[in-house]
Amino acid sequence: MNTATDSLLTPASRPPKKTNGGYLFLPKSLSRGAFLKWLRRTHAWFGLWGAALGLLFGFTGILMNHRDILKIPIGRMEQKEIQLALPEPHPADPKAMAAWLGETLGVDTSHAKIRKEPGKTVTWNNQPVQQPASWQINVRNPQKLLSADYWEGNAFVTVKQGDANLLTTLNNLHKGTGMGVGWVLLVDTLAGGLILLALTGTLLWTRLHGNRLAAAGLGLGSMSLAVFFALQAISG
């Protein structure tokens, strides 16, 4: 044990302690005390907030990123087409048609996208023909797809339905397909959290590991690779 020897050394004769060079982007006034405590806590809490969503978006992001080149299957949606006879009297307008479809098929059509195209004159076998108005009703959520086409005057409506498997459902959640404003804002918090984690993580890393040159080289290297591959894809 060197306790006795160390106690005889004066502060001036003791070897200097090794440091990691301080925080790369922080002035000395912010490199200690309450600010660093707040920085570590902010980094930790935002990491916990985004952990569950991060797993979902990370898993589905890998599948979507490799679906073209490596041919990784990302799920499927089984579709079927049916024709439904309309009740008497027929639905008076597209909204009434959407409500009837929802009751008949057990699907929530309250947020259906409805489009009505007016009738017009078209040419058929060199003869002008009056084409009736058409209605299109589309309902989509991460798991189900419903598309209905109706020509005014018909006694039936053509409906296409699709049911997604688990992988397709997860990918639709990743893309926000059929999701509301609440989901979009929730995902925005995850994106903002990732930005904050990147900034706070960089500040903390420059103190806990390596020196300034290594930190700058790692950051610039990853950014350069991202820019290179992006430009290569755009120009190719």
Side-chain angles (χ1 to χ4, degrees), residues 94-122:
K95 288 186 177 180
M97 175 74 77
W100 176 78
L101 286 172
E103 295 176 0
T104 304
L105 301 175
V107 178
D108 182 10
T109 58
S110 57
H111 299 288
K113 294 182 179 179
I114 298 174
R115 185 177 65 179
K116 181 177 181 179
E117 295 185 358
K120 58 184 177 182
T121 302
V122 297

Side-chain angles (χ1 to χ4, degrees), residues 190-205:
L190 174 62
L194 289 176
I195 295 174
L196 187 60
L197 283 175
L199 295 175
T200 57
T202 300
L203 294 176
L204 293 172
W205 186 93

Side-chain angles (χ1 to χ4, degrees), residues 19-28 31 205-207 209-220:
T19 63
N20 289 330
Y23 289 87
L24 183 59
F25 302 111
L26 289 178
K28 290 183 178 180
S31 295
W205 186 93
T206 56
R207 177 62 178 176
H209 305 280
N211 55 32
R212 296 168 184 260
L213 184 60
L218 186 63
L220 292 176

Side-chain angles (χ1 to χ4, degrees), residues 3-75:
T3 306
T5 304
D6 291 342
S7 62
L8 296 176
L9 293 176
T10 62
S13 61
R14 290 176 183 173
K17 294 182 179 181
K18 294 182 179 180
T19 63
N20 289 330
Y23 289 87
L24 183 59
F25 302 111
L26 289 178
K28 290 183 178 180
S29 59
L30 296 179
S31 295
R32 59 181 63 87
F35 179 80
L36 293 183
K37 186 177 181 180
W38 173 86
L39 187 66
R40 294 189 183 97
R41 287 185 174 180
T42 301
H43 185 88
W45 281 107
F46 270 90
L48 180 62
W49 166 255
L53 283 177
L55 288 175
L56 168 65
F57 280 84
F59 174 73
T60 54
I62 290 174
L63 293 179
M64 295 172 64
N65 193 43
H66 292 80
R67 66 185 183 274
D68 291 331
I69 297 177
L70 299 185
K71 308 301 181 184
I72 295 178
I74 61 170

